[in-house]
Amino acid sequence: MKIAIASSELLPFAKTGGLADAVASLAKALAKKGNIVYTFLPRYGFINGDRSLLSLNDVKITEIEENENLHHLFIQHPIFNRKGIYGENGKDYPDNFERFTLFSKYVVDTVLKKLDVDILHINDWHTGFAPLYMKNKYGDNTIPVLFTIHNLAYQGVFPLSYAEKIGAPSEWFKDFLQEGMINFMKIGILTADAINTVSPTYAKEIQTKEFGEGLDKFLIQRRKDLYGILNGIDVDYWKPPYTTKTLGMKENFKKILKNKSGLSDGDIPLFGIVTRLAEQKGIDILLEGINRFLSMNVNFVLLGTGDLKYHSKFEKIAKKYPDKTSINLKFDAELAFDIYRGADFFLMPSRFEPCGLGQMISLINGTIPIVRKTGGLADTVFEYRKETGEGNGFLFEEYSTEPFLKAIKRAINIYSEKEHLRKLRINGMKSDFSFDKSASEYEKLYEKLLTQ
Ligand code: ADP
């Protein structure tokens, strides 16, 4: 098959979160299976496209060929030529409406006019305009579009009057308005040929009021075309240099992490977290219980950036517990590696989690996840049972501090039972989170769309 995949983020070129990982791994895995894959990314100011491939009106498209089957195409236009992906200094760019409709438009034009592809696979709200534009502009001469929802919470909401800015008739939008506003997530959901989310549990959850972010009604309306496909991770990139047989080596990585973080020595359970500091990630329940958590005999390393209100709270925690904590309020790919390898336990108390990569990266590194039972976390983490030796982590269900702390306590108790601890780590390391499995499911879905 020939497949075009459009996304606002793609590793190794542009990343703020899991979207970049997921799309890059999928593209790579599909290409490895013999498909021809074209990825599309805006050419942000920090990307150096390689050779110029083709031009479409005022836009140039450059290409980096990763291998024979995998071509990365960059849409080059002054509007993308900035330091940020969505904004700078915590503020979104005011012209994101124009930026991402332009991106979507040029993806569709290129795919239909210049490349002979079978399927267009778009991702999140930034590309939600693509199927609407395609249907209005090209009528029946179109190809099937799959819309993947990586995060329903970000919907791309703009006033209807903005349609003028791009010269699109407002009639295009009028059947898809949400509370009077243009909503690109809703447009994607209602105009793509099929929709999927990045885990089976999240696909079910978003059809409820609790997780539907106001769009549950439309997701229920499209439930026949709504799928859940669990993401994988780039196992080659994340796998540790030790195996289940040389697990003792993990101790060295704990030492490295402790040294780098200025934590004192001693056989104390080390908890890590690598996260966007956003409400979604359960930061509120973590902060609410943090004094009780840190009154236990534990060490804690946090790596995260995001909401400034959380930054200042964690700065206070760092001052209050200088010996037990290492608080790193930044984006740091190397430190993330150190935490995934060096921590004993990894925290993910998410309020909701479409898939989640952190728990999978932790598991294959023998680092034990403590997670809320939601979305992709519920599909990948299973409570450890001492009686059977089955399970790979610790879970809690209700979104509140008390059950979260209880799960942490279960983890601390296991820490001194070294045989169970070892079993837990090995169970996690044996998981298969390779993207090949996900890619096969996507292939099946593409084929289904092609024969519909
Ligand atoms: P989301 O996409 O919602 O942020 P995921 O768990 O799906 O959450 O993916 C997050 C990815 O971003 C992981 O690969 C994680 O390691 C990485 N990440 C998040 N915050 C940071 C940070 N501050 N520094 C380095 N990596 C980070």
Side-chain angles (χ1 to χ4, degrees), residues 22-23 25-26 29 121 148-150 196-203 227-233 353-357 359-360 363 374-382 392 431-442 445:
V23 177
S25 307
L26 175 63
H121 183 169
T148 300
I149 301 172
H150 297 259
N196 81 293
T197 67
V198 288
S199 70
T201 297
Y202 192 62
Y227 301 84
I229 300 178
L230 189 72
N231 278 340
I233 51 174
E353 195 58 79
C355 175
L357 302 178
Q359 83 281 14
M360 294 195 261
L363 284 165
T374 184
L377 298 171
D379 293 326
T380 49
V381 183
F382 306 96
N392 57 13
S431 322
D432 175 12
F433 294 129
S434 74
F435 229 100
D436 293 348
K437 230 159 71 183
S438 326
S440 302
E441 286 191 55
Y442 277 104
L445 186 49

Side-chain angles (χ1 to χ4, degrees), residues 15 17-18 274-276 281 303-304 330-332 336 340 356-358:
K15 161 163 171 163
V274 180
T275 186
R276 282 187 292 119
K281 297 293 179 182
L303 172 62
K330 58 180 177 176
F331 192 95
D332 184 337
Y340 287 122
L357 302 178

Side-chain angles (χ1 to χ4, degrees), residues 46-196:
F46 49 85
I47 297 174
N48 294 311
D50 206 343
R51 63 194 174 89
S52 182
L53 185 69
L54 43 94
S55 299
L56 248 158
N57 307 333
D58 51 336
V59 166
K60 228 170 87 184
I61 292 167
T62 54
E63 178 194 26
I64 292 176
E65 185 182 295
E66 188 165 324
N67 59 53
E68 236 184 306
N69 288 358
L70 183 51
H71 306 263
H72 300 301
L73 306 188
F74 302 90
I75 306 227
Q76 188 175 336
H77 185 282
I79 205 167
F80 302 125
N81 193 9
R82 302 192 189 142
K83 277 194 229 148
I85 296 178
Y86 309 116
E88 282 169 52
N89 306 321
K91 274 210 191 108
D92 281 348
Y93 293 129
D95 55 355
N96 276 346
F97 178 84
E98 290 96 311
R99 295 174 79 233
F100 290 109
T101 46
L102 191 87
F103 175 55
S104 304
K105 171 183 167 351
Y106 278 104
V107 166
V108 171
D109 289 343
T110 313
V111 159
L112 293 182
K113 286 191 195 155
K114 303 274 181 178
L115 302 170
D116 178 27
V117 305
D118 302 306
I119 287 276
L120 172 60
H121 183 169
I122 57 171
N123 296 275
D124 274 354
W125 79 258
H126 322 94
T127 51
F129 181 60
L132 181 73
Y133 171 75
M134 187 191 264
K135 274 160 199 158
N136 278 295
K137 189 78 195 228
Y138 291 92
D140 291 335
N141 286 328
T142 57
I143 53 171
V145 180
L146 173 66
F147 181 47
T148 300
I149 301 172
H150 297 259
N151 198 330
L152 189 62
Y154 302 96
Q155 300 185 350
V157 176
F158 304 93
L160 179 57
S161 60
Y162 277 26
E164 273 172 29
K165 292 181 186 241
I166 54 164
S170 56
E171 285 77 60
W172 283 17
F173 296 98
K174 74 174 190 312
D175 289 341
F176 309 108
L177 296 179
Q178 178 74 352
E179 294 168 356
M181 306 285 275
I182 293 175
N183 180 315
F184 284 116
M185 180 58 82
K186 181 170 170 181
I187 290 174
I189 290 169
L190 292 177
T191 61
D193 296 282
I195 310 137
N196 81 293

Side-chain angles (χ1 to χ4, degrees), residues 282-303:
I283 309 302
D284 292 320
I285 60 173
L286 171 64
L287 279 166
E288 196 184 307
I290 202 149
N291 284 310
R292 282 159 70 195
F293 169 47
L294 292 174
S295 69
M296 301 179 214
N297 192 22
V298 297
N299 281 325
F300 178 52
V301 181
L302 175 140
L303 172 62

